[in-house]
Amino acid sequence: MASIYPARRRRNSMWMSLSVAAAAFGLTWLFLILAVLFWKGLAGISPDVFTQMTPPPGSPGGGLLNAIAGSLIMTVIGVAVGAPLGMLAGTYLAEYGKHSRLAFVVRFINDILLSAPSIVIGLFVYEIIVAPMGHFSGFAGAVALAILVIPVVVRTTEDMLNLVPNTLREAGAALGMPRSTVIQRIAYRAARAGLVTGVLLATARVSGETAPLLFTALNNQFWSWNFNQPISSLPVVIFQFALSPYKDWQQLAWTGALIITLAILALSVTARTLSATKRGEA
Amino acid sequence: MTETAMSRADMMTSRVEARSKAVRRLAGGDALFRNLTFAAAIIVLLILGGTIGSLIQGSLPAFKAFGFGFFVTDVWNPSDDKFGAGAAIYGTIVTSFIAMLIAVPVGLGIAIFLTELCPPALRRPIGVAIELLAGIPSIIYGVWGLFVFAPFLQQYVQPGLIAAFANVPGLNALFAGPPFGIGVLTASLILAIMVLPFVTSISRDVFNTVPPMLKESAYGVGCTTWEVVSSIVIPYTRVGVIGGCMLALGRALGETMAVTFVIGNAHDISASILAPGTTISATIANEFTEADGVLYTSSLIALGLILFMITFVVLAFARLMLMRLEGKAGK
């Protein structure tokens, strides 16, 4: 018996050191990427980045103003359209359908859409909007982003509403409230922090999306308020500039990458602290 | 006396009327809200149906022109209007396969570290860091891959690989050719780094569903940590781990930006994983806006349809697996 024990301990320490090594290995790569991103990105940060338009090929200077503005506009519209739809659908799943067969199917399909390739959504929007209209437009880009927002918000809304205790709903119903009032005045209010978190996470997700914008919003070297025309966005500009042979463009690509990453990290951290403090109160 | 009785009765009826009017109004609003949520739920189904429908419609010209051969030929020649998805499908599967080969063991290792070994003070920060990293857009990984990782591989790793396997039969074909830097291997490695946070956070969540009592009993009879992991945690969560890995595979298959930068966009099937290749998503991203002619565009949409079908099957399978685990946890 005594002879087995050292062997077991050896095997244990071998596997456990492999596990620690895996953790060190994986985290090293991930932090390496962030470190390089900050190193290269910070080198190009200047007021020009936020005040100048994207430069023409080969010329120094210029910034990312039109790209940042385009990204902001399309993201805001995409979320403004997608989030309410997602919340309503999530409400159906959590409050009305719950155990119905339809809800089961919608839940399943939604989970698949949640991780479906975003480039396919881009193709879909191209087929239904860009091709019939005959040209690329910021409108198509916003629709593509809205379609990507919906599954994320559906999922978080349903999860958050499921956390609301049923006794609250019953108390409302006992006062004679109709079901819709119970949902709007009690369930939404109780789940408010969670719902906001979901919308923030969805915003973080779509603000870095590149693939669906490539052939919906395309790109635009200039400032554009016209939603019927191509609009530039930060991710697409990064894509174009990084693959270009010009050093100035490549630097702008790094800087843009850093801006996007910081924005997304800020959104995710806000979402997380929001849901954490709410949970702490409860 | 009678008058007051009359007016009281009037008041009663008017009150009842007002009341029933309010109830009707509320019931109307109630039904409206219910129907709104129902319609929104149907929209989710319409998105899926619309995507499949429009992709099928868009890809019909390509399927009509090339038939079944579209799936297997690797000719991709826009100037002759000859297209085949073979190389793109091959590249998609190979890059995802190699990526999973690396990301799954490392991800499981990190998850085991987080759930069993990590000091509790570090557990939350590392967990949160990994979740934040999962949220970083893939284009960042692509830019890093293009400017930092590919030159590094070209200079230090690939010449070594070529030299090391030059005389090993079989493997020398796999690691043949000049070190381009960009290529199938580079794309696979970037994909691996990208899906690593997914694999890790899903497996950690799944490992956390193991009832503590099961683990404590195993520790109680004197099991080592590894024995608890290998004979309690992994068997208990096997379905969920497989589901989580499939979910990550679904991500890897459809991943566009991280791959497009470093794959090289060459429509060839070559034995060497150092050679440039292409994937479905990289082909679409690179060529769609430049595609002229019905057949070219249609072939790219057909590629999108194939990609959607592959990921749909993989993701559906993943969800079914994860649902089975949830059912178990509910009991």
Side-chain angles (χ1 to χ4, degrees):
Chain A
M1 280 308 278
S3 61
I4 295 180
Y5 191 55
R8 283 176 58 203
R9 283 192 61 165
R10 266 203 306 280
R11 179 181 287 179
N12 181 53
S13 48
M14 184 188 82
W15 281 105
M16 288 308 120
S17 33
L18 274 181
S19 156
V20 174
F25 176 77
L27 293 173
T28 306
W29 283 115
L30 294 167
F31 283 109
L32 207 61
I33 292 178
L34 282 186
V36 172
L37 179 65
F38 273 88
W39 176 257
K40 298 260 191 180
L42 280 177
I45 288 275
S46 69
D48 279 359
V49 171
F50 302 97
T51 54
Q52 304 283 313
M53 300 290 157
T54 46
S59 73
L64 296 166
L65 176 62
N66 50 337
I68 294 173
S71 266
L72 278 179
I73 296 169
M74 280 192 289
T75 307
V76 166
I77 294 180
V79 172
V81 174
L85 280 174
M87 273 194 196
L88 286 173
T91 307
Y92 180 80
L93 295 183
E95 301 283 341
Y96 290 113
K98 206 145 180 117
H99 302 295
S100 68
R101 182 162 292 178
L102 174 76
F104 177 80
V105 174
V106 171
R107 207 170 282 139
F108 190 74
I109 297 296
N110 188 67
D111 278 349
I112 287 177
L113 286 177
L114 199 60
S115 12
S118 55
I119 193 160
V120 172
I121 302 298
L123 285 177
F124 170 51
V125 174
Y126 175 87
E127 282 285 289
I128 60 163
I129 296 180
V130 179
M133 279 170 71
H135 57 86
F136 301 101
S137 64
F139 171 67
V143 170
L145 294 186
I147 292 179
L148 289 166
V149 164
I150 291 175
V152 184
V153 176
V154 170
R155 185 65 197 264
T156 47
T157 305
E158 192 197 353
D159 288 351
M160 290 305 145
L161 287 178
N162 280 338
L163 289 179
V164 176
N166 258 333
T167 44
L168 281 183
R169 295 192 184 89
E170 284 156 11
L175 289 175
M177 281 187 185
R179 196 141 178 204
S180 59
T181 315
V182 171
I183 294 169
Q184 288 164 19
R185 296 288 171 79
I186 296 176
Y188 280 173
R189 211 164 275 192
R192 190 164 49 196
L195 298 180
V196 174
T197 303
V199 173
L200 287 179
L201 288 178
T203 313
R205 158 117 200 250
V206 298
S207 50
E209 280 292 352
T210 320
L213 294 179
L214 283 176
F215 27 85
T216 51
L218 200 68
N219 199 351
N220 191 336
Q221 206 192 316
F222 304 103
W223 183 266
S224 170
W225 280 115
N226 188 348
F227 226 48
N228 206 15
Q229 290 298 314
I231 284 186
S232 72
S233 61
L234 209 39
V236 176
V237 167
I238 295 173
F239 179 57
Q240 189 197 343
F241 281 17
L243 284 172
S244 78
Y246 312 111
K247 278 271 168 279
D248 297 304
W249 274 19
Q250 293 178 356
Q251 179 57 53
L252 277 175
W254 275 113
T255 308
L258 179 64
I259 293 173
I260 283 197
T261 309
L262 287 179
I264 288 172
L265 285 182
L267 278 171
S268 324
V269 169
T270 316
R272 239 160 257 284
T273 43
L274 200 65
S275 59
T277 49
K278 186 69 189 174
R279 220 170 283 146
E281 278 168 24
Chain B
M1 186 70 192
T2 43
E3 266 174 25
T4 38
M6 280 287 284
S7 68
R8 194 171 281 169
D10 275 353
M11 251 164 67
M12 285 294 277
T13 46
S14 70
R15 233 186 236 170
V16 167
E17 257 169 33
R19 207 182 148 77
S20 62
K21 210 183 271 174
V23 166
R24 267 202 304 275
R25 200 184 63 231
L26 284 174
D30 209 31
L32 180 73
F33 186 71
R34 194 201 148 97
N35 290 338
L36 267 179
T37 63
F38 180 78
I42 297 296
I43 284 180
V44 174
L45 299 183
L46 285 182
I47 291 175
L48 183 86
T51 308
I52 295 177
S54 70
L55 288 183
I56 289 178
Q57 201 207 350
S59 56
L60 275 181
F63 285 132
K64 261 185 205 144
F66 306 113
F68 181 73
F70 185 75
F71 294 94
V72 286
T73 49
D74 66 337
V75 185
W76 189 269
N77 197 339
S79 51
D80 291 349
D81 254 2
K82 289 265 182 299
F83 300 101
I89 296 176
Y90 171 82
T92 304
I93 291 170
V94 168
T95 47
S96 298
F97 177 75
I98 301 176
M100 296 313 285
L101 215 57
I102 299 165
V104 168
V106 176
L108 288 180
I110 302 179
I112 293 171
F113 173 77
L114 281 177
T115 50
E116 302 294 332
L117 297 174
C118 187
L122 280 179
R123 199 166 288 179
R124 223 182 110 70
I126 295 183
V128 170
I130 283 175
E131 271 161 38
L132 290 179
L133 286 166
I136 290 182
S138 55
I139 191 163
I140 309 294
Y141 292 90
V143 171
W144 178 79
L146 179 70
F147 287 125
V148 181
F149 196 50
F152 169 79
L153 284 179
Q154 182 177 25
Q155 222 168 348
Y156 300 105
V157 179
Q158 291 184 349
L161 282 176
I162 295 168
F165 293 107
N167 297 318
V168 187
L171 286 179
N172 57 0
L174 204 58
F175 296 102
F180 286 112
I182 55 173
V184 174
L185 180 68
T186 313
S188 311
L189 294 176
I190 299 268
L191 267 185
I193 296 174
M194 236 208 82
V195 295
L196 190 58
F198 291 115
V199 179
T200 306
S201 67
I202 297 171
S203 350
R204 187 203 50 187
D205 291 349
V206 166
F207 286 168
N208 277 336
T209 63
V210 180
M213 214 190 303
L214 276 186
K215 288 200 287 190
E216 279 160 17
S217 330
Y219 281 121
V221 295
C223 284
T224 61
T225 314
W226 166 245
E227 283 160 352
V228 171
V229 169
S230 65
S231 24
I232 307 289
V233 175
I234 290 181
Y236 186 89
T237 55
R238 193 170 42 215
V239 182
V241 168
I242 296 173
C245 292
M246 300 287 281
L247 212 58
L249 175 63
R251 292 259 177 176
L253 287 167
E255 180 43 50
T256 311
M257 299 324 292
V259 173
T260 306
F261 279 101
V262 293
I263 189 91
N265 202 32
H267 282 273
D268 305 312
I269 297 179
S270 53
S272 168
I273 57 170
L274 300 184
T278 193
T279 66
I280 293 178
S281 49
T283 306
I284 301 174
N286 269 322
E287 301 179 22
F288 197 85
T289 44
E290 289 153 19
D292 42 3
V294 178
L295 213 50
Y296 196 177
T297 308
S298 170
S299 300
L300 287 169
I301 293 176
L303 279 182
L305 179 66
I306 294 170
L307 175 66
F308 195 50
M309 288 304 158
I310 298 175
T311 47
F312 188 92
V313 170
V314 170
L315 292 173
F317 192 67
R319 285 297 166 191
L320 288 174
M321 289 288 211
L322 287 171
M323 259 193 267
R324 266 175 64 186
L325 184 83
E326 270 164 30
K328 193 156 100 181
K331 266 174 208 166

